[in-house]
Amino acid sequence: MPASALRDAPIPIEITGLEPGGSVTFGSRTRSRSGTDWGASATFEAGADGTVVVEEESPIESRYYDTADPMGLFWSMRPVGSDPTEPMPPGVMFRPPAESFAVTLTAETGGNTLAEATTTRRMYDQDIKRVETPKNLVGAAFLPPGDGPAPGVIHLHGQGGQPFVGLARLLASRGFAALALQYFGDPDPLPDTLQEVPVEYVDRAIDWLGSHNRAANGGIGLFGFSRGGPLSLLTASQSNDVSAVVGWASSGIVYEGLGPDRVPAGTSAWSIDGEPVPYLKLAEADLGPPPVSGLPFFEPPLATTSQEQLEAVTVPVEDADTPIYLASATDDQRWPSTRLCERVVDRLDETGYSHSYRHDAFEGAGHFMIPPYLPTAGTMRDSIDIYGGTPSANANANENAWNRTRSFLTDSLPTQ
């Protein structure tokens, strides 16, 4: 087992020299940013050669996960002492330390410890470099180690309004020149809320990142999460400088924006040339006390709006000149991301789109999609929002969406 690895790297776990057919229990332990201990365990049966290879075998006993999974002991961890069969209280979630966290693995049989090892999970490569953004952009930009050209990626957050700085650091650690761009909220020059955000603001970020002396020539990739998904697609439909689009829990529909306290804004979330982009009005809904699902705002308009009206508020994705990768969650409780992504694919199918496109709908997963292998207990809801999914379904979506996104961006973006 490596002494350290980036947080998105799988770790091989294997033990030899056991009695054939005997059992061994692996345990994992780590500590969150708040100082809470998290852990998991699983028992396996040794093969005829006295070996257990965790990635190839299902546990014979575990309350945490039940299928062969090389990283099951990592993503299935929960606060020590909590019941793995019970939902986590709202707001309890694993939050890693900013730079790294240690995971200790043990192997026990008959009450005796056979082996123990600790690996450090690095949140990012310490050799990446942060670069200052110009005053007319808000966000955090990072360059990968080294001096050579790197493909550029801009990440666009969702309605939470905060840039995904940790994700940008991880992208830089994996060889991309990455900008986590904030597009509303504090400070100036941003709009205060998610309403009539200028698509031209993203164009400005593309121009800046594309002109950096470390950025590879030939276009920038856009990576949008949730509300950042349609913003990415809109930008690509208007720009010749986008070489790839990724959308997680995305949408091909433009919805109404949000004003203060996340109430419907009465206008579009986006604008082009100073004019609001045609939008689908949110439904009126009394959600009750939090945590709550967002579906009552987003689903009813899809059912009651005519096809002609829906067409008017659909992003003209056929005007983009770039490959597209979408990942959605079938139990998304923030908005119906699978249906909204299917609309993108339908439009691309109908128009004979000339570039490659793919949509992965992850069965049973929820809206909380992040790079893989952090504990997923608690990602179904927080104290305000219900996100959906299960720990195992969310872990599967995180792993596959991230690996396919990295491959897609690597294959689609220029490196010279």
Side-chain angles (χ1 to χ4, degrees):
M1 185 171 70
S4 70
L6 285 173
R7 57 159 286 188
D8 64 337
I11 297 294
I13 304 173
E14 179 178 341
I15 191 168
T16 61
L18 302 172
E19 181 180 344
S23 65
V24 60
T25 298
F26 287 99
S28 58
R29 195 77 169 247
T30 192
R31 181 164 291 175
S32 72
R33 186 186 309 173
S34 66
T36 302
D37 288 328
W38 288 58
S41 64
T43 300
F44 297 85
E45 182 178 311
D49 60 353
T51 299
V52 171
V53 181
V54 168
E55 68 179 306
E56 298 174 357
E57 303 174 34
S58 298
I60 59 173
E61 182 181 342
S62 177
R63 302 176 72 196
Y64 296 85
Y65 73 103
D66 58 9
T67 60
D69 190 321
M71 296 298 287
L73 289 164
F74 288 73
W75 64 255
S76 71
M77 288 190 284
R78 299 172 60 94
V80 172
S82 67
D83 186 344
T85 65
E86 294 294 326
M88 297 278 281
V92 176
M93 186 182 300
F94 181 80
R95 302 192 184 280
E99 295 187 0
S100 65
F101 60 100
V103 178
T104 298
L105 298 172
T106 57
E108 298 181 355
T109 186
N112 297 316
T113 299
L114 303 178
E116 180 176 303
T118 297
T119 184
T120 298
R121 307 293 286 169
R122 292 178 284 117
M123 298 302 290
Y124 58 91
D125 190 319
Q126 293 293 318
D127 291 330
I128 65 172
K129 301 173 185 177
R130 182 162 186 167
V131 294
E132 291 299 318
T133 57
K135 292 182 179 180
N136 61 357
L137 295 175
V138 179
F142 302 92
L143 299 174
D147 299 315
V153 178
I154 297 172
H155 187 272
L156 301 170
H157 57 80
Q159 71 178 34
Q162 293 298 313
F164 287 19
V165 176
L167 192 148
R169 284 194 177 109
L170 187 56
L171 283 170
S173 302
R174 290 304 185 183
F176 298 95
L179 167 62
L181 184 68
Q182 184 176 347
Y183 55 84
F184 76 91
D186 291 328
D188 290 336
L190 302 180
D192 292 336
T193 58
L194 181 59
Q195 53 183 318
E196 298 190 21
V197 174
V199 171
E200 293 85 358
Y201 176 72
V202 184
D203 290 332
R204 193 185 309 155
I206 292 171
D207 290 343
W208 174 76
L209 185 59
S211 66
H212 195 279
N213 59 11
R214 283 288 306 280
N217 295 325
I220 298 295
L222 298 180
F223 181 176
F225 171 74
S226 191
R227 287 276 195 154
L231 179 55
S232 297
L233 291 169
L234 271 171
T235 304
S237 73
Q238 304 286 317
S239 173
N240 295 322
D241 297 322
V242 178
S243 292
V245 173
V246 173
W248 282 11
S250 184
S251 170
I253 295 282
V254 173
Y255 275 99
E256 184 175 6
L258 298 174
D261 298 323
R262 298 201 299 182
V263 300
T267 188
S268 181
W270 322 113
S271 70
I272 296 176
D273 294 330
E275 296 295 326
V277 174
Y279 66 95
L280 187 60
K281 188 174 176 58
L282 298 173
E284 295 182 5
D286 182 8
L287 302 182
V292 295
S293 167
L295 292 179
F297 286 122
F298 295 98
E299 283 191 324
L302 292 177
T304 59
T305 303
S306 69
Q307 287 303 310
E308 182 179 0
Q309 290 172 310
L310 285 178
E311 185 71 16
V313 298
T314 297
V315 179
V317 289
E318 69 278 8
D319 293 338
D321 188 21
T322 177
I324 297 171
Y325 174 65
L326 302 173
S328 70
T330 66
D331 190 40
D332 193 331
Q333 294 297 306
R334 299 313 310 149
W335 65 359
S337 60
T338 295
R339 289 176 63 191
L340 298 173
C341 287
E342 286 172 347
R343 190 165 185 88
V344 176
V345 173
D346 290 344
R347 187 154 181 146
L348 296 174
D349 287 343
E350 292 167 2
T351 57
Y353 195 62
S354 61
H355 294 276
S356 65
Y357 54 96
R358 172 173 176 162
H359 169 215
D360 291 324
F362 291 102
E363 190 65 34
H367 190 79
F368 202 101
M369 297 178 68
I370 58 175
Y373 309 140
L374 294 184
T376 53
T379 60
M380 283 67 73
R381 60 179 181 173
D382 60 22
S383 58
I384 299 173
D385 296 314
I386 296 174
Y387 300 106
T390 66
S392 59
N394 291 357
N396 176 67
N398 292 344
E399 178 179 37
N400 285 289
W402 179 248
N403 289 338
R404 291 170 191 175
T405 293
R406 281 183 56 197
S407 296
F408 171 79
L409 291 172
T410 298
D411 292 344
S412 303
L413 295 176
T415 57
Q416 299 294 329

